[in-house]
Amino acid sequence: MAAADFSPHSSNATALPGLGRALVMAGKLSQKTAEDLYRKAQASNKNFIAELTESGTVSAADLAHTMSTAFAAPLVDVTALDPQRLPKGLIDSKLAATYRLLPLSKRGNRLIVATADPSDHEAAEKIKFATQMGVEWVIAEFDKLNRLVEITTRSTADAMDSVIGGDFEFDEATLKSDTPEEEEPEQTDAEDTPIVKFLHKMLVDAVNMRASDLHFEPYEHNYRVRFRIDGELREVASPPPVIKEKLASRIKVISRLDISEKRVPQDGRMKLKMGPDRVIDFRVSTLPTLFGEKIVIRILDPSSAKLGIDALGYEPEEKERLLKAIERPYGMILVTGPTGSGKTVSLYTCLNLLNKPGVNISTAEDPSEINLPGVNQVNMNEKAGLTFAVALKAFLRQDPDIIMVGEIRDLETADISIKAAQTGHLVLSTLHTNDAPTTLTRMRNMGIAPFNIASSVILITAQRLARRLCPKCKAPVDIPRETLIESGFAEEDLDGSWVPYKAVGCDACNNGYKGRVGIYEVMPISEEIQRIILADGSALEIAEQARREGVRSLRESGLYKVKLGVTSLEEVLAVTNE
């Protein structure tokens, strides 16, 4: 870029910066006025341009036009620019804030940068050194440029104040990974402090709000944080998009993930200490998206496995069937349902009941979600060759009493699990099927012989999670008799001894619901059902026999919860879509 050659008119003129000399040459200032203003700015440690414009000696608009003419640089109106659409990361934010610079674009190996002072050679050299690129100035009015630079380069701490508040503290909560303390990277960048605060706040809030997952989602012009509460996602924060990379790096560091790898998904774990006796585990999953890495954090609260079977929502007869099955010395118990239906908590509740000093329990999971002391938990690692089938074979050489398999995915895993159940071990596992009767036909379709199914499986539980009505605000609702019958109620159920309730909503709940309750179909494998299996009967025949034996289907179990006023009819119809 061409630059004007300004020769001093006196010996004192050499003290003036290039900007001052340009104004003198253009006739905007006298030599003495320029020198006096420059000395005044230096004495007060103030920017020379700020002194010029704030004193009213030269207007910001006049200054910009003078600089544009003197340095043959184009003018730009920065008020027409959208801060959200400006490129990020072209130059360091501290450099931009110090020299009042606004990077606008990149053209080949040159940066287009807005400035009010194109004579600042020091700024140009620092940009060149930092970016290894040339600088092409465009001129902007100082006051307008200053405001936009403040918006785009203000520290993360300022940007996060509106999200976390300036007085947020973490006296009780300590975030850590499984990395030994001496291996933890030091937090040296002061800019990262609000990121740490923000992450802690989100995790603490999620635990306190009984969320199951946190979603950190980057988009082109915004960034949002959502919690999954009672099965529904709710937006809880919208921090500035500028934090997305530092937040992702912070989460990766404490989850022992590779912070330099942004092209492929990664999985990790971390912990949050909430008081002296409570530690929450988190499972972390990263996913590269168009505008950054989306991060989902699953909350794995060990206390959920110790709530007890009564807290899960089993009715007395269902609870009795399950307890009777897990007290058996051998056999297979299967828990089925879609992802997010509470299968893991149900399995761990059973394991917690069985976890006694005289029992050897081993689990194969992908990944292990809840840490349970006294249980030998093994994480699957398919890259290293550690699959469910390999782990099961190893378990059988480890003198086990009880084996838990995270999921039966293939014939080999199913075959080894069944053999373990037939040879004196209690095996607990999960399958992804819609209800209990179809689980047996699914196993048959996997290639397992009917005899092996009938001789090993002792109980199948299908389950769903429905939102509980808030006890403070739920209200009776008048539902037509025909609608109730169409939903599955029998004529004898509509005897007037109960009323359905609807969700209302109050300060203590989430749109009328608070917490969730399990809906279960607990089907023991009776001798009659075994005969149907051996005869290669259909799921429909098994379901009819189970009903004759008093087993409620998922829909019937949900409708019973409606009669008890635990949940609403709408919720049951939604989660038991038949």
Side-chain angles (χ1 to χ4, degrees):
M1 177 184 303
D5 181 20
F6 300 106
S7 301
H9 288 280
S10 71
S11 58
N12 291 332
T14 55
L16 282 174
L19 179 81
R21 297 199 301 274
L23 290 170
V24 171
M25 289 294 292
K28 298 294 181 181
L29 292 177
S30 68
Q31 183 74 33
K32 185 177 184 307
T33 303
E35 290 173 1
D36 288 345
L37 286 170
Y38 183 54
R39 281 194 291 269
K40 186 177 178 182
Q42 284 186 311
S44 59
N45 198 25
K46 197 172 186 179
N47 184 291
F48 182 40
I49 300 182
E51 185 66 46
L52 285 169
T53 54
E54 289 174 14
S55 66
T57 308
V58 181
S59 70
D62 200 7
L63 176 64
H65 281 87
T66 302
M67 292 299 103
S68 175
T69 302
F71 287 86
L75 272 172
V76 63
D77 182 7
V78 293
T79 57
L81 302 175
D82 181 356
Q84 297 293 341
R85 293 179 179 272
L86 290 172
K88 305 289 192 299
L90 290 181
I91 63 174
D92 181 70
S93 60
K94 291 180 182 176
L95 179 64
T98 302
Y99 292 96
R100 294 311 188 203
L101 307 172
L102 188 66
L104 300 181
S105 64
K106 184 170 71 169
R107 186 186 299 151
N109 66 340
R110 299 185 71 79
L111 288 178
I112 314 301
V113 183
T115 181
D117 184 6
S119 68
D120 195 339
H121 298 299
E122 183 180 330
E125 289 302 317
K126 292 209 171 186
I127 294 173
K128 288 177 185 177
F129 180 78
T131 65
Q132 299 300 302
M133 299 175 74
V135 178
E136 201 169 303
W137 295 125
V138 294
I139 311 302
E141 294 178 30
F142 178 73
D143 52 351
K144 296 176 181 178
L145 177 66
N146 206 33
R147 284 193 291 271
L148 195 54
V149 169
E150 285 291 336
I151 292 171
T152 57
T153 65
R154 61 180 176 158
S155 71
T156 312
D158 293 336
M160 296 301 292
D161 270 348
S162 61
V163 181
I164 62 176
D167 59 347
F168 192 84
E169 296 293 341
F170 292 95
D171 296 327
E172 296 183 6
T174 303
L175 196 62
K176 63 179 181 178
S177 69
D178 296 327
T179 311
E181 216 171 286
E182 61 272 14
E183 295 179 23
E184 286 283 352
E186 290 186 14
Q187 201 72 32
T188 56
D189 189 353
E191 283 286 297
D192 287 347
T193 302
I195 301 295
V196 176
K197 281 188 173 185
F198 177 68
L199 177 59
H200 275 80
K201 175 171 169 55
M202 291 296 99
L203 294 174
V204 171
D205 285 354
V207 172
N208 290 338
M209 293 168 73
R210 302 181 64 84
S212 60
D213 302 87
L214 299 84
H215 292 238
F216 296 89
E217 301 170 314
Y219 297 98
E220 187 174 8
H221 304 304
N222 66 302
Y223 190 77
R224 70 176 178 181
V225 182
R226 295 192 292 173
F227 293 172
R228 189 176 292 280
I229 301 171
D230 297 337
E232 287 194 340
L233 282 170
R234 186 202 306 180
E235 185 169 337
V236 295
S238 184
V242 69
I243 76 162
K244 63 184 178 184
E245 290 186 4
K246 286 191 175 183
L247 182 61
S249 295
R250 176 62 185 169
I251 293 172
K252 285 181 177 181
V253 166
I254 56 181
S255 306
R256 303 179 70 182
L257 301 178
D258 184 355
I259 62 171
S260 65
E261 181 56 80
K262 301 178 182 180
R263 299 165 299 174
V264 297
Q266 296 187 68
D267 295 297
R269 294 178 73 98
M270 61 187 181
K271 295 183 178 182
L272 179 69
K273 186 176 181 182
M274 297 187 67
D277 302 318
R278 190 182 182 195
V279 176
I280 309 294
D281 287 310
F282 298 90
R283 192 178 75 205
V284 179
S285 172
T286 72
L287 178 70
T289 67
L290 282 177
F291 304 106
E293 289 182 283
K294 177 184 176 182
I295 298 173
V296 176
I297 301 178
R298 168 68 58 88
I299 300 174
L300 308 170
D301 189 353
S303 62
S304 62
K306 300 176 183 177
L307 292 173
I309 197 167
D310 295 321
L312 299 183
Y314 285 94
E315 298 303 330
E317 63 271 24
E318 296 168 346
K319 172 185 169 184
E320 185 181 349
R321 290 178 195 142
L322 182 60
L323 291 176
K324 189 175 179 181
I326 66 173
E327 287 168 2
R328 297 267 292 270
Y330 59 87
M332 179 182 285
I333 296 172
L334 294 172
V335 180
T336 74
T339 302
S341 59
K343 299 188 298 295
T344 300
V345 171
S346 293
L347 283 175
Y348 272 94
T349 301
C350 292
L351 288 179
N352 201 48
L353 292 171
L354 296 166
N355 189 13
K356 297 174 183 175
V359 178
N360 179 20
I361 303 175
S362 294
T363 73
E365 302 167 78
D366 185 22
S368 176
E369 294 194 354
I370 300 172
N371 181 25
L372 202 59
V375 175
N376 306 294
Q377 296 170 275
V378 178
N379 266 336
M380 298 301 94
N381 187 344
E382 292 193 7
K383 288 183 180 178
L386 182 56
T387 62
F388 283 116
V390 171
L392 276 170
K393 288 176 183 176
F395 287 169
L396 294 176
R397 295 190 291 270
Q398 291 275 319
D399 186 29
D401 296 301
I402 298 165
I403 295 171
M404 194 269 271
V405 185
E407 183 184 348
I408 294 178
R409 297 177 179 172
D410 52 55
L411 178 58
E412 186 181 11
T413 304
D415 191 45
I416 300 170
S417 300
I418 283 173
K419 286 177 181 174
Q422 291 172 335
T423 55
H425 308 93
L426 184 63
V427 179
L428 289 79
S429 190
T430 71
L431 268 175
H432 286 284
T433 54
N434 290 329
D435 55 30
T438 57
T439 303
L440 295 169
T441 54
R442 164 93 171 101
M443 295 179 76
R444 184 73 187 89
N445 292 337
M446 288 174 70
I448 304 169
F451 171 78
N452 285 331
I453 299 172
S455 63
S456 59
V457 180
I458 57 176
L459 180 131
I460 301 173
T461 295
Q463 65 181 68
R464 300 287 188 276
L465 287 177
R467 292 178 293 172
R468 285 180 184 268
L469 285 167
C470 174
K472 289 187 177 180
C473 66
K474 68 178 182 180
V477 60
D478 185 19
I479 300 176
R481 187 181 184 90
E482 295 77 14
T483 302
L484 292 172
I485 292 174
E486 285 177 11
S487 300
F489 283 105
E491 287 284 354
E492 55 268 25
D493 291 327
L494 308 179
D495 55 7
S497 62
W498 60 276
V499 293
Y501 287 85
K502 67 176 180 179
V504 177
C506 65
D507 293 338
C509 66
N510 179 25
N511 298 323
Y513 296 97
K514 188 174 183 180
R516 290 195 285 180
V517 64
I519 294 175
Y520 302 95
E521 178 183 21
V522 183
M523 186 180 80
I525 306 303
S526 63
E527 290 185 3
E528 286 300 320
I529 291 177
Q530 282 180 335
R531 289 192 185 97
I532 296 172
I533 296 170
L534 290 170
D536 209 9
S538 67
L540 186 60
E541 293 174 281
I542 294 170
E544 289 173 352
Q545 179 58 36
R547 182 169 294 187
R548 285 193 289 270
E549 294 174 6
V551 175
R552 288 194 189 101
S553 68
L554 282 168
R555 173 60 62 85
E556 290 167 342
S557 181
L559 295 177
Y560 187 69
K561 294 273 193 302
V562 173
K563 287 180 68 175
L564 296 177
V566 174
T567 189
S568 66
L569 180 61
E570 292 83 2
E571 184 69 7
V572 168
L573 296 179
V575 299
T576 61
N577 189 14
E578 293 185 348

mmCIF file of all heavy atoms in Angstrom, residues 33-34 36-58 142:
data_model
loop_
_atom_site.group_PDB
_atom_site.id
_atom_site.type_symbol
_atom_site.label_atom_id
_atom_site.label_comp_id
_atom_site.label_asym_id
_atom_site.label_seq_id
_atom_site.Cartn_x
_atom_site.Cartn_y
_atom_site.Cartn_z
ATOM 1 N N THR A 33 -0.359 22.552 18.224
ATOM 2 C CA THR A 33 -1.556 21.870 18.766
ATOM 3 C C THR A 33 -1.365 20.353 18.752
ATOM 4 O O THR A 33 -1.688 19.656 19.725
ATOM 5 C CB THR A 33 -2.809 22.244 17.956
ATOM 6 O OG1 THR A 33 -2.971 23.657 17.971
ATOM 7 C CG2 THR A 33 -4.047 21.570 18.524
ATOM 8 N N ALA A 34 -0.833 19.839 17.669
ATOM 9 C CA ALA A 34 -0.616 18.399 17.553
ATOM 10 C C ALA A 34 0.360 17.922 18.619
ATOM 11 O O ALA A 34 0.133 16.889 19.281
ATOM 12 C CB ALA A 34 -0.085 18.055 16.163
ATOM 13 N N ASP A 36 1.096 19.409 21.503
ATOM 14 C CA ASP A 36 0.491 19.549 22.843
ATOM 15 C C ASP A 36 -0.476 18.398 23.130
ATOM 16 O O ASP A 36 -0.472 17.833 24.232
ATOM 17 C CB ASP A 36 -0.257 20.880 22.937
ATOM 18 C CG ASP A 36 0.685 22.078 22.993
ATOM 19 O OD1 ASP A 36 1.902 21.852 23.240
ATOM 20 O OD2 ASP A 36 0.218 23.208 22.769
ATOM 21 N N LEU A 37 -1.287 18.071 22.139
ATOM 22 C CA LEU A 37 -2.249 16.977 22.339
ATOM 23 C C LEU A 37 -1.539 15.635 22.503
ATOM 24 O O LEU A 37 -1.962 14.787 23.305
ATOM 25 C CB LEU A 37 -3.223 16.910 21.154
ATOM 26 C CG LEU A 37 -4.287 18.004 21.088
ATOM 27 C CD1 LEU A 37 -5.010 17.968 19.750
ATOM 28 C CD2 LEU A 37 -5.298 17.849 22.231
ATOM 29 N N TYR A 38 -0.460 15.457 21.774
ATOM 30 C CA TYR A 38 0.282 14.192 21.872
ATOM 31 C C TYR A 38 0.918 14.044 23.245
ATOM 32 O O TYR A 38 0.889 12.974 23.863
ATOM 33 C CB TYR A 38 1.334 14.127 20.772
ATOM 34 C CG TYR A 38 2.103 12.823 20.759
ATOM 35 C CD1 TYR A 38 1.447 11.601 20.689
ATOM 36 C CD2 TYR A 38 3.497 12.808 20.834
ATOM 37 C CE1 TYR A 38 2.141 10.399 20.684
ATOM 38 C CE2 TYR A 38 4.214 11.616 20.832
ATOM 39 C CZ TYR A 38 3.517 10.419 20.749
ATOM 40 O OH TYR A 38 4.216 9.235 20.746
ATOM 41 N N ARG A 39 1.528 15.182 23.759
ATOM 42 C CA ARG A 39 2.129 15.129 25.105
ATOM 43 C C ARG A 39 1.057 14.877 26.169
ATOM 44 O O ARG A 39 1.275 14.133 27.118
ATOM 45 C CB ARG A 39 2.870 16.442 25.383
ATOM 46 C CG ARG A 39 4.244 16.531 24.736
ATOM 47 C CD ARG A 39 5.050 17.679 25.327
ATOM 48 N NE ARG A 39 4.500 18.976 24.936
ATOM 49 C CZ ARG A 39 4.876 19.645 23.854
ATOM 50 N NH1 ARG A 39 5.814 19.144 23.069
ATOM 51 N NH2 ARG A 39 4.333 20.816 23.570
ATOM 52 N N LYS A 40 -0.100 15.501 25.968
ATOM 53 C CA LYS A 40 -1.198 15.310 26.930
ATOM 54 C C LYS A 40 -1.660 13.852 26.941
ATOM 55 O O LYS A 40 -1.937 13.276 28.002
ATOM 56 C CB LYS A 40 -2.351 16.240 26.560
ATOM 57 C CG LYS A 40 -3.493 16.240 27.569
ATOM 58 C CD LYS A 40 -4.570 17.231 27.169
ATOM 59 C CE LYS A 40 -5.733 17.200 28.164
ATOM 60 N NZ LYS A 40 -6.821 18.126 27.766
ATOM 61 N N ALA A 41 -1.761 13.251 25.762
ATOM 62 C CA ALA A 41 -2.175 11.846 25.670
ATOM 63 C C ALA A 41 -1.151 10.943 26.344
ATOM 64 O O ALA A 41 -1.510 10.001 27.063
ATOM 65 C CB ALA A 41 -2.362 11.450 24.207
ATOM 66 N N GLN A 42 0.135 11.235 26.133
ATOM 67 C CA GLN A 42 1.181 10.410 26.752
ATOM 68 C C GLN A 42 1.148 10.544 28.270
ATOM 69 O O GLN A 42 1.310 9.560 28.991
ATOM 70 C CB GLN A 42 2.551 10.824 26.214
ATOM 71 C CG GLN A 42 2.835 10.323 24.801
ATOM 72 C CD GLN A 42 4.253 10.643 24.388
ATOM 73 O OE1 GLN A 42 4.723 11.772 24.527
ATOM 74 N NE2 GLN A 42 4.947 9.638 23.871
ATOM 75 N N ALA A 43 0.944 11.777 28.763
ATOM 76 C CA ALA A 43 0.937 12.020 30.208
ATOM 77 C C ALA A 43 -0.208 11.281 30.894
ATOM 78 O O ALA A 43 -0.074 10.805 32.024
ATOM 79 C CB ALA A 43 0.832 13.518 30.485
ATOM 80 N N SER A 44 -1.340 11.196 30.206
ATOM 81 C CA SER A 44 -2.510 10.511 30.795
ATOM 82 C C SER A 44 -2.612 9.055 30.353
ATOM 83 O O SER A 44 -3.619 8.398 30.621
ATOM 84 C CB SER A 44 -3.789 11.264 30.432
ATOM 85 O OG SER A 44 -3.933 11.333 29.018
ATOM 86 N N ASN A 45 -1.569 8.575 29.667
ATOM 87 C CA ASN A 45 -1.533 7.182 29.184
ATOM 88 C C ASN A 45 -2.768 6.877 28.345
ATOM 89 O O ASN A 45 -3.432 5.859 28.540
ATOM 90 C CB ASN A 45 -1.421 6.217 30.371
ATOM 91 C CG ASN A 45 -0.956 4.838 29.933
ATOM 92 O OD1 ASN A 45 -0.296 4.709 28.895
ATOM 93 N ND2 ASN A 45 -1.293 3.825 30.697
ATOM 94 N N LYS A 46 -3.040 7.774 27.411
ATOM 95 C CA LYS A 46 -4.263 7.689 26.623
ATOM 96 C C LYS A 46 -3.922 7.512 25.146
ATOM 97 O O LYS A 46 -2.875 7.962 24.675
ATOM 98 C CB LYS A 46 -5.071 8.974 26.818
ATOM 99 C CG LYS A 46 -6.535 8.908 26.419
ATOM 100 C CD LYS A 46 -7.223 10.190 26.868
ATOM 101 C CE LYS A 46 -8.718 10.133 26.623
ATOM 102 N NZ LYS A 46 -9.386 11.380 27.079
ATOM 103 N N ASN A 47 -4.801 6.875 24.414
ATOM 104 C CA ASN A 47 -4.633 6.727 22.971
ATOM 105 C C ASN A 47 -4.683 8.110 22.309
ATOM 106 O O ASN A 47 -5.556 8.927 22.606
ATOM 107 C CB ASN A 47 -5.764 5.833 22.431
ATOM 108 C CG ASN A 47 -5.620 5.538 20.949
ATOM 109 O OD1 ASN A 47 -5.776 6.427 20.129
ATOM 110 N ND2 ASN A 47 -5.345 4.287 20.644
ATOM 111 N N PHE A 48 -3.727 8.381 21.395
ATOM 112 C CA PHE A 48 -3.641 9.695 20.748
ATOM 113 C C PHE A 48 -4.918 10.021 19.974
ATOM 114 O O PHE A 48 -5.420 11.149 20.009
ATOM 115 C CB PHE A 48 -2.416 9.726 19.830
ATOM 116 C CG PHE A 48 -2.185 11.045 19.147
ATOM 117 C CD1 PHE A 48 -2.380 12.251 19.825
ATOM 118 C CD2 PHE A 48 -1.769 11.107 17.819
ATOM 119 C CE1 PHE A 48 -2.150 13.483 19.196
ATOM 120 C CE2 PHE A 48 -1.554 12.320 17.182
ATOM 121 C CZ PHE A 48 -1.751 13.505 17.874
ATOM 122 N N ILE A 49 -5.461 9.035 19.272
ATOM 123 C CA ILE A 49 -6.698 9.281 18.510
ATOM 124 C C ILE A 49 -7.840 9.605 19.463
ATOM 125 O O ILE A 49 -8.668 10.483 19.191
ATOM 126 C CB ILE A 49 -7.058 8.071 17.633
ATOM 127 C CG1 ILE A 49 -5.944 7.781 16.635
ATOM 128 C CG2 ILE A 49 -8.368 8.311 16.892
ATOM 129 C CD1 ILE A 49 -6.241 6.635 15.698
ATOM 130 N N ALA A 50 -7.904 8.901 20.604
ATOM 131 C CA ALA A 50 -8.954 9.178 21.581
ATOM 132 C C ALA A 50 -8.841 10.606 22.095
ATOM 133 O O ALA A 50 -9.854 11.305 22.267
ATOM 134 C CB ALA A 50 -8.861 8.188 22.737
ATOM 135 N N GLU A 51 -7.615 11.059 22.317
ATOM 136 C CA GLU A 51 -7.391 12.433 22.781
ATOM 137 C C GLU A 51 -7.857 13.437 21.715
ATOM 138 O O GLU A 51 -8.495 14.452 22.031
ATOM 139 C CB GLU A 51 -5.910 12.631 23.105
ATOM 140 C CG GLU A 51 -5.572 13.990 23.714
ATOM 141 C CD GLU A 51 -6.200 14.178 25.094
ATOM 142 O OE1 GLU A 51 -6.125 13.247 25.934
ATOM 143 O OE2 GLU A 51 -6.802 15.245 25.320
ATOM 144 N N LEU A 52 -7.532 13.146 20.470
ATOM 145 C CA LEU A 52 -7.916 14.035 19.374
ATOM 146 C C LEU A 52 -9.433 14.156 19.244
ATOM 147 O O LEU A 52 -9.988 15.260 19.135
ATOM 148 C CB LEU A 52 -7.343 13.523 18.051
ATOM 149 C CG LEU A 52 -5.847 13.711 17.796
ATOM 150 C CD1 LEU A 52 -5.431 12.893 16.576
ATOM 151 C CD2 LEU A 52 -5.515 15.189 17.583
ATOM 152 N N THR A 53 -10.114 13.030 19.243
ATOM 153 C CA THR A 53 -11.560 13.030 18.995
ATOM 154 C C THR A 53 -12.363 13.474 20.222
ATOM 155 O O THR A 53 -13.343 14.201 20.097
ATOM 156 C CB THR A 53 -12.038 11.639 18.548
ATOM 157 O OG1 THR A 53 -11.628 10.663 19.513
ATOM 158 C CG2 THR A 53 -11.426 11.275 17.197
ATOM 159 N N GLU A 54 -11.932 13.047 21.411
ATOM 160 C CA GLU A 54 -12.684 13.391 22.627
ATOM 161 C C GLU A 54 -12.526 14.866 22.991
ATOM 162 O O GLU A 54 -13.406 15.465 23.613
ATOM 163 C CB GLU A 54 -12.243 12.495 23.785
ATOM 164 C CG GLU A 54 -12.706 11.051 23.628
ATOM 165 C CD GLU A 54 -12.133 10.134 24.703
ATOM 166 O OE1 GLU A 54 -11.606 10.656 25.703
ATOM 167 O OE2 GLU A 54 -12.229 8.902 24.534
ATOM 168 N N SER A 55 -11.391 15.445 22.627
ATOM 169 C CA SER A 55 -11.184 16.876 22.909
ATOM 170 C C SER A 55 -11.940 17.751 21.918
ATOM 171 O O SER A 55 -12.039 18.975 22.097
ATOM 172 C CB SER A 55 -9.684 17.209 22.852
ATOM 173 O OG SER A 55 -9.187 17.055 21.519
ATOM 174 N N GLY A 56 -12.449 17.128 20.853
ATOM 175 C CA GLY A 56 -13.194 17.878 19.846
ATOM 176 C C GLY A 56 -12.308 18.591 18.852
ATOM 177 O O GLY A 56 -12.799 19.360 18.013
ATOM 178 N N THR A 57 -10.996 18.330 18.926
ATOM 179 C CA THR A 57 -10.068 18.997 18.009
ATOM 180 C C THR A 57 -10.312 18.549 16.573
ATOM 181 O O THR A 57 -10.309 19.344 15.638
ATOM 182 C CB THR A 57 -8.614 18.692 18.415
ATOM 183 O OG1 THR A 57 -8.438 18.999 19.802
ATOM 184 C CG2 THR A 57 -7.626 19.489 17.577
ATOM 185 N N VAL A 58 -10.514 17.222 16.401
ATOM 186 C CA VAL A 58 -10.813 16.644 15.097
ATOM 187 C C VAL A 58 -11.945 15.644 15.290
ATOM 188 O O VAL A 58 -11.897 14.813 16.204
ATOM 189 C CB VAL A 58 -9.577 15.930 14.498
ATOM 190 C CG1 VAL A 58 -9.920 15.360 13.110
ATOM 191 C CG2 VAL A 58 -8.388 16.866 14.389
ATOM 192 N N PHE A 142 -13.100 6.270 14.154
ATOM 193 C CA PHE A 142 -12.559 5.719 15.398
ATOM 194 C C PHE A 142 -13.648 5.329 16.396
ATOM 195 O O PHE A 142 -13.597 4.257 16.991
ATOM 196 C CB PHE A 142 -11.599 6.732 16.032
ATOM 197 C CG PHE A 142 -11.038 6.265 17.347
ATOM 198 C CD1 PHE A 142 -10.083 5.253 17.401
ATOM 199 C CD2 PHE A 142 -11.481 6.813 18.548
ATOM 200 C CE1 PHE A 142 -9.572 4.812 18.604
ATOM 201 C CE2 PHE A 142 -10.975 6.375 19.765
ATOM 202 C CZ PHE A 142 -10.011 5.370 19.793
#
